[in-house]
Amino acid sequence: VLAAVNQDGSSLNYAIENFKNDKDVVLMAVNQSGYALEYASDRLKDNQEVVLAAVSQNGHALKFASDRFKDKK
């Protein structure tokens, strides 16, 4: 799984739930493709480090973050 998400972050979509909830795996995926945040667990969509990594890679990934990040002004 690590090799797959390192090559193509969106491959997180095909991973089992345990990997979608693994911070290291998800960080690797979002660093490769911010849009991989879409496939992360809800817990990690609410994790500041993960969300910042995703948004740093692609600002549009914010739409997949938890609402608490979207509401910040």
Side-chain angles (χ1 to χ4, degrees):
V1 173
L2 290 176
V5 297
N6 195 37
Q7 285 272 345
D8 178 6
S10 65
S11 65
L12 185 62
N13 181 33
Y14 305 104
I16 61 172
E17 291 303 312
N18 288 353
F19 290 116
K20 294 178 181 183
N21 198 38
D22 184 300
K23 185 176 176 184
D24 292 330
V25 172
V26 173
L27 276 171
M28 188 175 291
V30 299
N31 279 318
Q32 199 285 324
S33 171
Y35 278 115
L37 185 61
E38 177 179 8
Y39 309 115
S41 68
D42 288 342
R43 179 181 72 86
L44 291 178
K45 288 179 182 179
D46 194 52
N47 179 282
Q48 184 172 354
E49 182 181 359
V50 171
V51 171
L52 285 175
V55 171
S56 292
Q57 200 285 324
N58 185 323
H60 296 287
L62 184 61
K63 67 182 173 183
F64 302 116
S66 72
D67 288 341
R68 79 178 177 113
F69 293 105
K70 296 176 198 172
D71 293 338
K72 290 194 175 192
K73 297 188 176 179

